[in-house]
């Protein structure tokens, strides 16, 4: 989910005599900042740099003294699960004037600090860039004033700046996701889920106002994640006459049998005339015109707080690592940059280019160029908006397409499956297709458990865990005859197969059966949905994020219990089959000391090294340990074996406990990421199948036998792509049910470095500086 930092085992660890100062400068703190602080400190220390905290943001930089203090390894322990920022933040007027910036420069020069890492929003980062631009002039003024010597000025001749964006609004252009946004969505969705239960009971309309004065990202993704009836965002004010349209839509939903309506409003929502649209305005409209029992809820600052999500911890950690690398590779000619996320890739972007595009969005909205504002927000925002428009504002056509499209779930259930089914069903109905629900997977298809499914039948499915259609692990190879008969019987023209590795293998078996069964010559798409995240063709699977958050929150509780008892090591077993994704990413999110997985082979000597590492750790102020083990990492080094080994070797120093998390990792309500991801995947799959059916229509019938007519829809690096099942065959380790190449293995060294292992750092690959080139069209008269 987060970008790849290429750290490996090629060159020896460089000893870099640099000094890094870490400043959390945004006035309003967000969850996930502490993960970035922890990673920056530990990787900075690892590279041989001296790292300083700047407490209270720019105010601390100006005031100096005790506000700028050395950071140690132990000083950032037990902070991953904390919201806000432990180094504090404050609004600073002094830094806005040159005199204040001179004081800040003097404080840095006296400490020999030449690298500054700033975590904040566009205002904080713009201030950092101005500070860097003025640096030479500030030093010259300080020398003339006798505050610093010529020698001190020479040693600090240039200042390197790297920014990390911390903002729940996700309003900084150039990055798909800012630190804190995912955690804010978790808080919002928790409230939405609680509200919808009472709204359904009482047949009420609920209007929820979320943060986003200038950016509607939170409102937009919330609307997608909860299946809202309407969303108001600043970037795209509703068309004139929206009041009538909204009331008609709410009434239509009730007429279809819906017992509730949900409307999401960004706090900065306004009409095309520039008049603010508040939740109270909408409540009055709905109450007066429709007479619906209507309630409003303004979430406020609850969105900023709470425990960071697994995504934000991993994002913050990986951005912190990349920020240190960017600082230590910087030269006097390197522009100030931000480390950023684009799809699944780490990128470095010129700071002021991003700031300028962010300002261009505001200008485009002011000029009424709303489509341009959406585009300037970036591909992720634009895709979310287009998906919302497709699902929320188009009624199914009266004219049918005569296409029957079937949807089935395969393999183990996972959170987010239902969101994908709902989106696929509704998008199919919008296209004029007849949508068919297949119960109990391939087994149900073979036994004729097929029935039409309508718009209302999937209402409320986005927030439900498991599989509402029912799912089984049965593969089609032994029941191909029955499946082909029922494809013909129900006149099925296309298949949407949602599931894990069984769905992938089942799709391959159907493609291979095309030679014998002509009924299989229909377009089909596999949507990866499994907690194991082991489906070839996709970097992420629906359901993995929910499982990851479950593991992370459980590890938080476990570590908290160890904080009280001291000198205790926990061994936790995770799911994943032979795929170590969950163990690795949970290890990074929870701050584990080790994570044993099948893909990264280990032996008794490695186990001994890990035990010795924990014995040394118990001599520090951090007297606890967390070890994760993937369930199939090694047939001989079982969870019991590792528990017994650690218990024996740690006698007298620490004791051990073990936890097998089991099927709790497959349950629960889906996270915002899985709801949104499932919705986009379901929508895109049906649109692709619709286009493919047109290509495959020949001589009055559908006949699809080419490789590209049966694909896996997956997230690869920066985009959703369709890859033929047949092509992925060679990229698969069928024995162990994993892809032969897995992107997340590159980030395992980060977990080891952050756990203080003395490993080698590969800097041969890194995120290069890119550019944000999005020219605005001039305002015409």
């Amino acid at each position: 989910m987060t970008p790849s930092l290429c750290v490996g085992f090629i060159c020896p660890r460089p000893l870099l005599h640099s000094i890094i100062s870490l400043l959390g400068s945004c006035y309003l703190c967000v969850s996930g900042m502490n993960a970035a602080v922890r990673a920056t400190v530990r990787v900075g220390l690892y590279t041989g740099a001296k790292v300083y905290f700047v407490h209270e943001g720019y105010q601390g930089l100006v005031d100096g003294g005790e506000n700028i203090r050395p950071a140690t390894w132990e000083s950032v322990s037990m902070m991953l699960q904390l919201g806000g920022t432990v180094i504090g933040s404050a609004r600073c007027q002094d830094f806005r004037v040159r005199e204040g910036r001179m004081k800040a420069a003097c404080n840095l020069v006296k400490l020999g600090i030449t690298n500054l890492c700033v975590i904040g929003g566009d205002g904080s980062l713009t201030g950092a860039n101005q500070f860097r631009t003025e640096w030479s002039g500030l030093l010259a003024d300080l020398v003339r004033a006798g505050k610093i010597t010529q020698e001190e000025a020479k040693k600090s001749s240039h200042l390197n700046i790297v920014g990390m964006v911390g903002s729940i609004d996700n309003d900084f252009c150039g990055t798909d996701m800012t630190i804190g946004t995912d955690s804010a969505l978790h808080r919002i969705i928790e409230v939405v889920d609680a509200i919808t239960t009472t709204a359904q009971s009482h047949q009420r309309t609920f209007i929820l106002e979320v943060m986003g004065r200038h950016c509607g990202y939170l409102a937009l993704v919330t609307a997608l994640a909860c299946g809202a009836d309407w969303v108001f965002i600043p970037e795209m004010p509703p068309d004139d006459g929206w009041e009538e349209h909204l009331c008609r839509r709410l009434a239509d939903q009730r007429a279809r049998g819906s017992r509730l309506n949900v409307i999401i409003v960004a706090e900065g929502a306004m009409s095309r005339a520039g008049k603010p649209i508040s939740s109270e305005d909408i409540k009055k409209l709905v109450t007066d015109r429709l007479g619906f029992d209507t309630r409003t809820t303004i979430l406020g600052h609850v969105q900023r707080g709470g425990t960071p999500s697994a995504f934000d911890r991993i994002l913050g950690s990986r951005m912190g690592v990349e920020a240190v690398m960017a600082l230590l590779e910087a030269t006097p000619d390197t522009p100030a940059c931000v480390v950023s996320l684009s799809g699944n890739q780490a990128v470095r972007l010129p700071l002021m280019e991003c700031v300028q595009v962010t300002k261009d969005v505001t200008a485009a909205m002011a000029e009424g160029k709303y489509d341009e504002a959406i585009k300037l927000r970036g591909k992720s925002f634009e895709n979310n908006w287009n998906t919302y428009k497709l699902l929320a504002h188009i009624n199914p056509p009266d004219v049918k397409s005569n296409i029957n499209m079937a949807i089935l779930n395969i393999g183990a259930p996972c959170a987010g499956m239902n969101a994908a089914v709902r989106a696929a069903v509704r998008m199919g109905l919008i296209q004029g297709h007849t949508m068919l629900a297949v119960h109990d997977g391939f087994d149900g298809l073979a036994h004729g458990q097929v029935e039409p499914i309508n718009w209302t039948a999937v209402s409320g499915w986005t927030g439900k865990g498991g599989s509402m259609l029912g799912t089984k692990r049965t593969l089609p190879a032994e029941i191909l005859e029955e499946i082909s008969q029922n494809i013909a019987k129900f006149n099925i023209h296309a298949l949407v197969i949602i599931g894990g590795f069984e769905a992938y293998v089942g799709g391959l078996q159907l493609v291979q059966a095309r030679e014998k069964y002509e009924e299989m010559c229909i377009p089909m798409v596999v949507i990866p949905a499994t907690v194991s995240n082991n489906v070839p063709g996709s970097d992420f699977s629906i359901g993995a994020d929910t499982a990851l958050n479950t593991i992370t929150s459980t590890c938080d509780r476990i570590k908290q219990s160890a904080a009280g008892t001291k000198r205790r090591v926990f061994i936790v077993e995770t799911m994943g089959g032979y795929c170590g994704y969950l163990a690795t990413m949970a290890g990074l999110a929870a701050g584990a000391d080790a994570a044993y997985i099948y893909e990264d082979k280990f032996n008794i000597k490695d186990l001994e090294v890990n035990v010795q590492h924990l014995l040394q750790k118990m001599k520090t102020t951090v007297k606890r340990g967390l070890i994760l083990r993937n369930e199939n990492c090694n047939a001989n080094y079982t969870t019991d074996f590792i528990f017994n080994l650690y218990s024996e070797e740690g006698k007298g120093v620490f004791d051990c406990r073990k936890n097998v998390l089991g099927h709790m990792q497959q349950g629960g309500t889906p996270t915002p990421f899985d709801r949104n991801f499932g919705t986009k995947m379901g929508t895109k799959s049906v649109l692709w199948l619709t286009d493919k059916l047109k290509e495959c229509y020949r001589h009055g019938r559908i006949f699809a036998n080419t490789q590209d007519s049966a694909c896996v829809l997956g997230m690869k690096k920066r985009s959703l792509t369709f890859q033929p099942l047949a092509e992925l065959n060679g990229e698969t380790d069928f024995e162990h049910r994993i892809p032969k190449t897995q992107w997340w293995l590159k980030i395992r060294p980060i977990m080891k470095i952050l756990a203080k292992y003395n490993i080698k750092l590969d800097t041969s690959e890194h995120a290069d500086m890119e550019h944000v080139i999005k020219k605005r069209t001039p305002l015409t008269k």
Side-chain angles (χ1 to χ4, degrees):
M1 24 179 119
T2 49
S4 173
L5 176 71
C6 301
V7 182
F9 301 88
I10 296 175
C11 66
R13 184 175 77 174
L15 198 60
L16 299 165
H17 301 288
S18 299
I19 299 178
I20 299 171
S21 182
L22 181 64
L23 185 147
S25 66
C26 71
Y27 174 62
L28 293 168
C29 300
V30 297
S31 294
M33 274 189 169
N34 287 326
V37 169
R38 173 179 177 268
T40 305
V41 168
R42 291 191 169 179
V43 176
L45 294 171
Y46 166 85
T47 58
K50 189 172 184 180
V51 185
Y52 283 86
F53 286 137
V54 179
H55 292 267
E56 312 309 334
Y58 284 130
Q59 192 63 56
L61 203 62
V62 172
D63 295 342
E66 283 298 302
N67 289 303
I68 307 176
R69 299 199 292 266
T72 64
W73 197 276
E74 286 80 13
S75 66
V76 291
S77 180
M78 281 298 284
M79 63 192 297
L80 275 170
Q81 74 276 19
L82 301 177
T85 169
V86 296
I87 59 175
S89 184
R91 197 182 295 277
C92 180
Q93 295 298 327
D94 293 340
F95 196 75
R96 294 176 180 268
V97 297
R98 187 177 176 84
E99 184 182 353
R101 294 192 290 275
M102 276 184 64
K103 290 179 181 178
C106 184
N107 290 327
L108 293 183
V109 170
K110 290 297 182 182
L111 292 168
I113 295 170
T114 55
N115 298 289
L116 193 60
C117 180
V118 181
I119 311 171
D122 60 340
S124 302
L125 298 177
T126 301
N129 185 72
Q130 183 181 3
F131 190 41
R132 180 181 186 271
T133 304
E134 295 177 349
W135 184 254
S136 297
L138 293 172
L139 294 194
D141 289 350
L142 287 169
V143 171
R144 279 194 293 271
K147 299 289 181 67
I148 63 173
T149 66
Q150 194 70 46
E151 187 64 24
E152 286 174 325
K154 187 176 180 181
K155 285 182 180 178
S156 303
S157 59
H158 69 276
L159 178 69
N160 297 318
I161 297 280
V162 169
M164 288 182 275
V165 189
S167 166
I168 69 165
D169 292 339
N170 202 29
D171 56 353
F172 194 80
C173 293
T175 181
D176 284 351
M177 192 76 98
T178 56
I179 298 169
T181 303
D182 190 64
S183 298
L185 286 169
H186 275 252
R187 302 293 91 76
I188 295 168
I189 291 299
E190 286 167 9
V191 174
V192 170
D193 285 348
I195 281 175
T196 51
T197 54
T198 182
Q200 197 154 24
S201 301
H202 297 280
Q203 296 193 61
R204 282 177 176 158
T205 296
F206 261 94
I207 303 161
L208 281 85
E209 184 177 305
V210 300
M211 284 186 171
R213 190 171 300 150
H214 305 293
C215 179
Y217 185 87
L218 289 179
L220 180 55
V221 175
T222 299
L224 278 175
C226 72
D229 297 293
W230 199 283
V231 65
F232 292 89
I233 61 173
E235 290 86 350
M236 187 60 72
D239 293 329
D240 293 336
W242 62 268
E243 297 90 345
E244 192 65 38
H245 188 182
L246 171 62
C247 291
R248 185 170 64 252
R249 179 161 183 76
L250 298 182
D252 287 347
Q253 288 295 93
R254 290 291 177 97
R256 285 177 178 165
S258 176
R259 292 180 59 86
L260 79 157
N261 300 113
V262 176
I263 300 167
I264 309 296
V265 189
E267 62 178 328
M270 60 181 61
S271 68
R272 299 249 162 177
K275 181 184 176 183
I277 299 175
S278 70
S279 51
E280 285 300 323
D281 294 335
I282 301 166
K283 177 184 177 180
K284 187 175 188 307
L285 171 71
V286 174
T287 304
D288 291 349
R289 293 203 186 182
L290 299 175
F292 290 174
D293 187 3
T294 306
R295 299 286 189 276
T296 60
T297 301
I298 300 174
L299 298 189
H301 281 74
V302 70
Q303 298 160 84
R304 294 194 181 277
T307 302
S309 66
F311 182 96
D312 271 332
R313 299 185 201 194
I314 295 167
L315 176 63
S317 297
R318 297 177 71 186
M319 292 297 94
V321 174
E322 186 64 30
V324 174
M325 295 302 139
L327 281 172
L328 299 182
E329 291 167 12
T331 68
D333 299 324
T334 306
C337 76
V338 286
V339 290
S340 178
L341 175 68
S342 178
N344 188 34
Q345 298 291 292
V347 292
R348 298 178 191 174
L349 300 169
L351 171 60
M352 293 315 295
E353 283 188 19
C354 296
V355 170
Q356 184 57 52
V357 176
T358 304
K359 290 179 178 177
D360 287 346
V361 176
T362 305
M365 289 191 289
E367 294 168 9
K369 296 185 175 182
Y370 303 115
D371 289 329
E372 184 176 332
I374 295 283
K375 286 184 180 297
L376 288 169
R377 279 282 181 224
K379 184 176 282 188
S380 175
F381 192 100
E382 187 178 5
N383 288 341
N384 283 325
W385 174 250
N386 290 336
T387 303
Y388 167 75
K389 281 197 302 181
L390 285 169
L391 289 174
H393 281 276
I394 302 175
N395 290 317
D398 295 327
V399 180
K400 298 296 181 182
S401 66
N402 295 320
I403 294 293
N404 298 325
M405 196 174 288
I407 304 174
L408 61 163
N409 293 160
I410 308 297
C414 68
M417 269 186 167
N418 295 321
V421 172
R422 171 188 173 273
V425 166
R426 291 196 168 178
M427 183 49 60
L429 294 172
I430 287 167
Q431 299 298 312
H433 308 327
T434 297
M435 303 304 292
L436 302 174
V438 180
H439 299 278
D440 298 334
F442 288 121
D443 203 48
L445 185 56
H447 292 91
Q449 294 175 244
V450 182
E451 63 179 1
I453 186 166
N454 61 29
W455 188 280
T456 308
V458 293
S459 293
W461 279 27
T462 50
K464 293 183 179 178
S467 168
M468 299 296 289
L469 293 182
T471 180
K472 288 187 177 180
R473 294 181 182 269
T474 308
L475 293 173
E478 302 299 321
I479 48 176
L480 287 170
E481 185 72 37
E482 293 86 346
I483 287 175
S484 65
Q485 288 174 1
N486 278 317
I487 287 176
K489 176 182 175 182
F490 291 97
N491 197 23
I492 295 171
H493 302 111
L495 281 178
V496 179
I497 305 168
I498 304 170
F501 200 82
E502 289 88 355
Y504 167 71
V505 174
L508 273 173
Q509 291 178 358
L510 293 181
V511 170
Q512 290 161 0
R514 283 174 169 178
E515 294 181 7
K516 184 177 179 181
Y517 299 98
E518 193 175 304
E519 292 83 359
M520 307 294 184
C521 294
I522 58 174
M524 56 188 79
V525 63
V526 174
I527 298 177
T530 168
V531 301
S532 301
N533 196 35
N534 63 337
V535 178
S538 187
D539 291 344
F540 300 109
S541 296
I542 297 166
D545 186 68
T546 303
L548 185 57
N549 276 278
T550 300
I551 298 167
T552 303
S553 61
T554 304
C555 288
D556 286 346
R557 293 184 177 94
I558 287 171
K559 286 177 71 176
Q560 192 173 43
S561 74
T565 54
K566 308 287 187 187
R567 299 185 181 279
R568 180 163 288 176
V569 175
F570 283 89
I571 290 94
V572 178
E573 181 182 295
T574 69
M575 278 185 164
Y578 286 95
C579 180
Y581 175 83
L582 286 180
T584 296
M585 301 306 263
L588 188 56
D593 295 282
Y596 300 122
I597 65 170
Y598 168 78
E599 296 92 341
D600 192 356
K601 305 299 183 188
F602 61 98
N603 54 36
I604 193 68
K605 290 183 179 178
D606 297 314
L607 293 173
E608 184 181 353
V609 168
N610 297 146
V611 172
Q612 290 300 319
H613 176 79
L614 283 169
L615 289 171
Q616 292 301 313
K617 185 178 181 181
M618 295 300 162
K619 296 177 183 178
T620 70
T621 58
V622 187
K623 302 182 187 299
R624 61 191 165 275
L626 176 66
I627 305 294
L628 298 183
R629 179 189 176 274
N630 166 253
E631 59 184 344
N632 288 341
C633 66
N634 190 292
N636 296 310
Y637 300 137
T638 63
T639 301
D640 287 335
F641 176 91
I642 293 173
F643 168 74
N644 292 332
L645 175 69
Y646 274 69
S647 297
E648 181 63 29
E649 296 299 319
K651 269 185 179 176
V653 181
F654 61 79
D655 63 358
C656 291
R657 298 289 188 273
K658 65 179 176 180
N659 293 78
V660 179
L661 301 186
H663 283 76
M664 65 182 290
Q665 297 160 83
Q666 289 182 343
T669 57
T671 59
F673 179 92
D674 278 331
R675 299 183 196 202
N676 190 20
F677 192 41
T679 298
K680 285 195 277 194
M681 295 278 269
T683 302
K684 197 171 182 72
S685 66
V686 171
L687 291 174
W688 180 83
L689 285 172
T690 302
D691 290 338
K692 193 60 65 176
L693 284 164
K694 294 173 184 175
E695 291 178 22
C696 300
Y697 187 77
R698 301 170 194 164
H699 311 297
R701 69 190 185 100
I702 291 160
F703 185 79
N705 65 345
T706 57
Q707 286 191 358
D708 66 354
S709 64
C711 290
V712 170
L713 169 58
M715 169 68 80
K716 295 297 286 185
K717 294 185 178 178
R718 298 192 184 189
S719 60
L720 291 174
T721 59
F722 291 89
Q723 296 173 84
L725 282 159
E727 289 181 7
L728 292 169
N729 200 10
E731 301 176 19
T732 308
D733 177 353
F734 285 97
E735 180 185 354
H736 298 104
R737 297 161 54 90
I738 54 174
K740 290 180 179 177
T741 304
Q742 300 184 84
W743 67 273
W744 51 265
L745 286 170
K746 290 182 179 179
I747 71 166
R748 276 184 64 79
I750 297 176
M751 184 187 69
K752 295 179 181 179
I753 290 170
L754 296 178
K756 210 176 183 179
Y757 281 92
N758 187 20
I759 67 167
K760 295 176 182 179
L761 184 65
D762 173 19
T763 55
S764 61
E765 293 183 49
H766 56 77
D768 292 320
M769 186 78 82
E770 298 187 7
H771 292 277
V772 188
I773 302 172
K774 294 179 181 177
K775 293 183 179 179
R776 293 201 57 231
T777 53
L779 180 64
T780 54
K781 292 183 180 179

